[in-house]
Amino acid sequence: MATIAAERLTFTRLPHPAPASADARAAVLANPGFGSHFTDHMIVIDWSEGRGWHDAVIAPRGPIALDPAAAVLHYAQEIFEGLKAYRQADGGIALFRPEANAARFNASATRLAMPRLPEDIFVEAVKQIVAADKDWFPPVEGGSLYLRPFMIATEAFLGVRPAKEYKFIIIASPAGNYFKSGAPAVSLWVSEYTRAAPGGTGAAKCGGNYAASLVPTAEAFARGHDQVLFLDAAEHKWIEELGGMNLFFVMADGSIVTPPLTGTILPGITRESLIALARDEGLTVREERYSLGQWRDDTTSGQLVETFACGTAAVVTPVGKVCGEDGEFTIGSGGPGQLTGKLKARLVAIQRGEAPDPHGWVMKL
Ligand code: PLP
Ligand code: COI
């Protein structure tokens, strides 16, 4: 497989015939929500066996032509990432840990038998779309530019084997809050379905994992909850993660527990960052298995005082209520907890350039 450094892959900017008008853009940016609006541009880089990565373009965002036999449409050979660009306190723009997304993208690529994209090209491509769409930052509280890099198998071939042609694409979407409800804390539905099993693709960020989570997610929504919670495949007992977020449990003694990375959950970059920030505060963080039953008991006894979910899209979101076939329980007051608020504020201040960045996570553009 050819490797190629970013400086040897030239990004060609294609002319845009009709970018959004300033008025149309302002209307979107005033109330962006999550995932429904898109910027003017996209990045596309092609890969084929023999040529490796080639033809990098910054193109007008629009439909892509795919052969109906493209492998992604049949065998779901697809991976993606999610990261954000933030407007800084000083008016500049910064990315948060894009190299971590590049590394996880390649881990996903390896698991899905796809070509690796050199990390410097991934980061350069992200920088290119942010520069092209720099007018798309929502000026609203918590606003950011959400970036969605992904890779699809484009080879027209119906035999079951890794494809020989791919496209890497990045689209961008102005983002506000992930949760529409705007509730101070979210409510979870404990699913009877399984998201991932040992040896499967749970640690990869591939579309197939999310496809399998849609029935349980629809069930959660139909019952009035915000997110689905998955337990482990073998015993249906141990807490894994939510449909699109990792989970943390805050104990009364100030220590924190989060499920370990055993290969069935996504190794969240927000998760890793919060573990570091909590340890900076002198808190004990244990990456260990925690069962649904223990969670309920600890909540009842007062041993557990807070639970929060985290992810790029969701940032840090308190969990207020947990419901399943066996009943429900409320965490703390059912609203945001103190430590949850403190860790969120620490993280957001670093991301927005309002606090020192001791771990070197912020990449100013
Ligand atoms: N778990 C799942 C299933 C996710 O989709 C996400 C979101 O990307 C996360 C966890 C959190 O990961 P990150 O913090 O890297 O966004
Ligand atoms: C993200 O947080 O970036 C994700 O990919 C989660 C997704 C479910 C919106």
Side-chain angles (χ1 to χ4, degrees):
M1 193 177 304
T3 55
I4 172 168
E7 64 266 23
R8 286 191 285 117
L9 190 72
T10 308
F11 286 81
T12 304
R13 174 93 174 246
L14 306 180
H16 198 310
S21 69
D23 283 352
R25 195 171 60 229
V28 164
L29 297 182
N31 187 14
F34 182 86
S36 316
H37 303 285
F38 303 95
T39 61
D40 289 320
H41 296 94
M42 64 182 183
I43 303 284
V44 183
I45 315 178
D46 289 321
W47 186 92
S48 59
E49 206 173 66
R51 287 187 75 187
W53 293 105
H54 61 276
D55 289 352
V57 293
I58 305 152
R61 199 192 87 89
I64 48 174
L66 276 184
D67 191 289
V72 64
L73 302 177
H74 302 272
Y75 310 126
Q77 206 186 358
E78 189 267 358
I79 58 170
F80 68 97
E81 269 303 323
L83 72 163
K84 284 176 172 171
Y86 301 88
R87 187 61 81 185
Q88 300 290 279
D90 65 5
I93 295 173
L95 299 169
F96 185 71
R97 307 191 66 185
E99 305 98 330
N101 293 93
R104 187 172 65 189
F105 192 69
N106 278 333
S108 300
T110 299
R111 180 62 184 85
L112 273 285
M114 300 170 96
R116 295 167 67 86
L117 179 68
E119 289 178 17
D120 60 335
I121 296 182
F122 180 101
V123 173
E124 180 59 26
V126 168
K127 287 181 181 172
Q128 292 282 350
I129 192 165
V130 173
D133 288 327
K134 63 179 180 342
D135 295 333
W136 284 91
F137 282 77
V140 298
E141 165 88 24
S144 61
L145 188 61
Y146 182 79
L147 305 162
R148 173 54 65 88
F150 62 103
M151 188 188 344
I152 54 174
T154 51
E155 187 194 0
F157 179 63
L158 295 182
V160 181
R161 58 139 172 80
K164 296 180 179 177
E165 289 166 22
Y166 298 87
K167 270 188 195 303
F168 170 77
I169 302 176
I170 309 181
I171 53 173
S173 174
N177 280 334
Y178 184 74
F179 290 106
K180 255 204 302 281
S181 71
V186 295
S187 163
L188 306 183
W189 170 250
V190 182
S191 185
E192 298 293 311
Y193 287 97
T194 298
R195 174 183 176 275
T201 57
K205 206 160 165 61
C206 58
N209 289 343
Y210 297 79
S213 78
L214 297 180
V215 163
T217 297
E219 258 179 28
F221 290 171
R223 291 169 187 264
H225 304 288
D226 301 293
Q227 271 278 301
V228 61
L229 169 84
F230 291 106
L231 301 174
D232 75 294
E235 296 179 74
H236 205 69
K237 168 178 177 182
W238 305 102
I239 295 160
E240 298 232 299
E241 63 179 326
L242 308 187
M245 288 147 228
N246 294 117
L247 271 182
F248 282 78
F249 307 94
V250 181
M251 303 300 158
D253 66 4
S255 66
I256 298 177
V257 173
T258 193
L261 302 179
T262 56
T264 53
I265 68 171
L266 194 78
I269 293 159
T270 317
R271 173 191 180 279
E272 190 183 73
S273 307
L274 290 169
I275 291 174
L277 292 180
R279 288 184 176 148
D280 289 350
E281 299 281 329
L283 301 171
T284 300
V285 183
R286 293 189 299 278
E287 294 178 69
E288 65 185 26
R289 295 203 298 182
Y290 193 58
S291 71
L292 176 63
Q294 192 70 47
W295 189 17
R296 186 189 298 112
D297 291 351
D298 287 348
T299 301
T300 310
S301 72
Q303 285 262 85
L304 176 138
V305 289
E306 300 173 36
T307 299
F308 61 86
C310 70
T312 298
V315 196
V316 174
T317 300
V319 175
K321 202 164 87 174
V322 185
C323 293
E325 297 290 358
D326 303 337
E328 66 175 68
F329 55 99
T330 299
I331 295 164
S333 61
Q338 246 184 359
L339 189 62
T340 302
K342 186 172 170 183
L343 287 174
K344 177 178 179 179
R346 285 271 293 129
L347 178 70
V348 169
I350 294 172
Q351 289 170 334
R352 303 209 172 252
E354 292 158 2
D357 173 27
H359 297 277
W361 287 335
V362 173
M363 182 183 282
K364 295 205 187 256
L365 302 185

